[in-house]
């Protein structure tokens, strides 16, 4: 008896996977209904979400946008037969929440300023854009305050000249007096320029060629315009200052290390609200008589210093996480300290520190609400002024809910960008 063998002479056609394992059905089966217990929890969660939406949606979609007072809101809600929010206050005070008491005819300057902010940030946040856009990013920090505060255009120009003086001082003096002395000169000379020379030079240029726009006092600033201004400036300045403080804390020079450690530990040991009180009340005591030191500028300085101290510790953690071999590799290539930091050490340390850096940024932006305690009219400060209006006295949830949603949008956007940047810079194997 012989065995019969069968050998297939053609390939079996590829078949589609079972419908229950792919697409929406497969995702639901794997993530929500993979077992009896998961199925029960999914159904209970869906029931809770349905109950929550059934309670919240009627309140949120309340047709009270055109109400002129809380009394009118209550009349509209009474006709509906169920509770609802009074959104008329948001419609009526929308521009005030955005711009504070900034002159209405000059709103275009604020809108233009923040549109230019997006243009300036784009090449910094997204490296696939043309690198030539970075020239505008360098110009924008001097253009921004001029658009917001107004006045003569020579003020931001002479301030920018201070940075030019520092750059060329370091570059020209380095061969003759050494790198350390040239670096110190690059910091000292701009400060001397700003304190004693920039003001008279700007006044002289303004008298010869008066180029200016209408000036706006700081007391007219408010709303989200004020919060974004303080937050963006503090965030932009705290990162480079934090890098310098982190490097200073690891320096071999005793004076530099001691000053860095003392500054970081002192600032981190003091609440931000204390620094804001110092900025608003005590700082003028130590200034020469007759000095007019803008309150918003004082607040920006204090918030920046506060954020810089925390940023320095975040970056120091990134530096400590780098293997010693990276430093030795930089030395083996013959790189000096600053080149090694710029090309090898700092890019890796910043990559490691991205979550901590973004968390610090988010905290700084949320902490801008503390300026309401010293009398500045940020969204929270405005809310108290609005609630004092007899027409809207008694509304709470609508105002604070609106403020919370707006802050959530800004902070959530920063968080999403952080995750995008981490994925983009991911070079290791998973």
């Amino acid at each position: 008896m012989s065995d019969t063998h069968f050998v297939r002479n053609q390939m079996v056609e590829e078949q589609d996977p079972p419908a229950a394992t792919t697409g929406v059905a497969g995702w639901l089966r794997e993530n929500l209904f993979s077992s009896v217990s998961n199925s029960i929890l999914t159904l209970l969660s869906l029931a809770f979400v349905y109950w929550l939406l059934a309670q919240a949606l009627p309140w949120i979609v309340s047709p009270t946008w055109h109400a002129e007072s809380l009394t009118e809101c209550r009349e509209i809600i009474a006709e509906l037969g169920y509770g609802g929010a009074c959104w008329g206050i948001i419609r009526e005070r929308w521009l005030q929440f955005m711009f504070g008491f900034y002159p209405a005819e000059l709103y275009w300057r604020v809108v233009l300023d923040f549109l230019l902010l997006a243009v300036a940030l784009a090449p910094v946040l997204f490296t696939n854009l043309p690198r030539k856009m970075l020239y505008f990013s360098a110009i924008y920090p001097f253009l921004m305050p001029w658009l917001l505060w107004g006045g003569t255009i020579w003020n931001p120009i002479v301030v920018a000249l201070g940075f030019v003086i520092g750059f060329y001082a370091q570059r020209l003096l380095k061969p003759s007096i050494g790198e350390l002395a040239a670096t110190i000169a690059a910091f000292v000379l701009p400060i001397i320029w700003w304190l004693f020379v920039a003001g008279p030079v700007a006044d002289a240029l303004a008298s010869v060629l008066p180029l200016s726009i209408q000036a706006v006092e700081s007391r007219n600033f408010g709303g989200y315009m004020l919060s974004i201004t303080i937050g963006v400036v503090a965030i932009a300045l705290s990162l480079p200052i934090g890098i310098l403080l982190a490097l200073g804390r690891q320096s071999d020079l005793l004076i530099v290390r001691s000053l860095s450690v003392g500054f970081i530990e002192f600032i981190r040991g003091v609440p931000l609200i204390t620094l804001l009180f110092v900025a608003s009340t005590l700082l003028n005591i130590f200034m020469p008589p007759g000095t007019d030191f803008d309150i918003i500028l004082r607040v920006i300085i204090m918030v920046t210093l506060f954020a810089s101290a925390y940023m320095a510790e975040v970056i120091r953690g990134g530096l400590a996480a780098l293997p010693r071999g990276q430093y030795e590799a930089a030395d083996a290539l013959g790189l000096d300290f600053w080149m090694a930091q710029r090309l090898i050490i700092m890019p890796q340390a910043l990559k490691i520190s991205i979550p901590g850096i973004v968390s610090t940024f988010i905290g700084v932006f949320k902490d801008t609400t503390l300026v309401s305690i010293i009398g500045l009219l940020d969204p929270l400060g405005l809310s108290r002024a609005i609630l004092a209006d007899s027409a809207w006295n008694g509304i709470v949830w609508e105002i604070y809910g609106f403020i919370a949603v707006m802050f959530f949008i800004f902070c959530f956007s920063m968080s999403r960008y952080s995750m995008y940047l981490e994925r983009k810079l991911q070079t290791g194997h998973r």
Side-chain angles (χ1 to χ4, degrees), residues 422-424 426-430:
E422 288 184 61
R423 291 193 300 269
K424 183 176 181 179
Q426 180 65 39
T427 56
H429 296 287
R430 294 187 177 181

Side-chain angles (χ1 to χ4, degrees), residues 259-272:
L259 290 176
S260 300
V261 172
F263 174 84
I264 293 171
E265 296 303 329
F266 173 77
I267 295 296
R268 293 177 70 229
V270 177
L272 177 58

Side-chain angles (χ1 to χ4, degrees), residues 52-336:
L52 189 64
L53 291 176
Q55 300 296 320
L57 283 179
W59 187 85
I60 294 174
V61 299
S62 173
T64 54
W65 287 97
H66 298 286
E68 300 293 337
S69 65
L70 179 59
T71 303
E72 187 174 344
C73 277
R74 288 173 175 170
E75 292 175 356
I76 296 173
I77 293 171
E79 293 177 0
L80 295 175
Y82 57 84
C86 184
W87 298 118
I89 187 172
I90 304 300
R91 177 197 57 79
E92 181 179 303
R93 301 300 181 99
W94 164 259
L95 292 177
Q96 194 172 11
F97 272 118
M98 293 294 107
F99 302 102
F101 296 100
Y102 206 85
E105 67 275 12
L106 300 180
Y107 283 169
W108 66 269
R109 279 166 42 178
V110 181
V111 175
L112 176 61
D113 187 76
F114 290 131
L115 289 177
L116 294 179
L117 172 63
V119 176
L121 287 177
V124 178
L125 300 179
F126 304 100
T127 56
N128 57 343
L129 295 176
R131 293 293 89 192
K132 290 184 178 179
M133 293 179 65
L134 289 173
Y135 290 111
F136 179 76
S137 301
I139 296 173
Y140 177 77
F142 308 100
L143 183 62
M144 181 197 76
W146 180 65
L147 282 175
L148 292 180
W149 276 272
T152 176
I153 195 174
W154 297 112
N155 286 331
I157 291 177
V158 296
V159 171
L161 284 176
F163 290 96
V164 176
I165 292 172
F167 173 77
Y168 281 103
Q170 203 277 339
R171 193 168 185 177
L172 298 176
L173 296 177
K174 180 179 177 180
S176 58
I177 64 176
E179 182 179 1
L180 179 60
T183 302
I184 295 175
F187 281 96
V188 174
L189 291 178
I191 294 175
I192 295 175
W193 167 266
W194 292 326
L195 291 178
F196 304 106
V197 183
V201 170
D203 293 339
L205 292 173
S207 63
V208 175
L209 189 61
L211 298 176
S212 63
I213 57 178
Q214 180 180 340
V216 179
E217 296 182 2
S218 293
R219 60 187 178 87
N220 294 325
F221 283 47
Y224 284 101
M225 181 192 73
L226 178 63
S227 295
I228 294 173
T229 300
I230 296 175
V232 168
V233 175
I235 287 171
L237 294 179
S238 64
L239 182 58
I241 297 175
I243 291 174
L244 293 177
L245 288 171
L247 294 176
R249 184 159 190 163
Q250 294 186 333
S251 174
D252 295 329
L253 300 175
L254 178 61
I255 296 178
V256 174
R257 184 173 66 252
S258 300
L259 290 176
S260 300
V261 172
F263 174 84
I264 293 171
E265 296 303 329
F266 173 77
I267 295 296
R268 293 177 70 229
V270 177
L272 177 58
I273 187 61
T274 303
L275 299 177
L276 294 179
F277 276 121
V278 170
S280 63
T281 58
L282 299 180
L283 200 57
N284 275 345
I285 298 176
F286 300 97
M287 302 299 293
T291 301
D292 184 16
F293 198 1
D294 188 88
I295 179 62
I296 295 180
L297 179 58
R298 284 181 270 163
V299 168
I300 288 175
I301 292 173
M302 288 301 180
V303 175
T304 300
L305 295 179
F306 183 81
S308 299
Y310 283 87
M311 189 65 65
E313 289 298 280
V314 171
I315 295 172
R316 186 171 71 91
L319 292 172
L322 286 182
R324 185 62 190 172
Q326 298 296 316
Y327 296 88
E328 296 172 352
D331 294 336
L333 291 173
L335 302 178
D336 61 24

Side-chain angles (χ1 to χ4, degrees), residues 387 394-401:
L387 290 176
I395 290 181
V396 177
W397 286 100
E398 292 84 347
I399 290 182
Y400 292 120

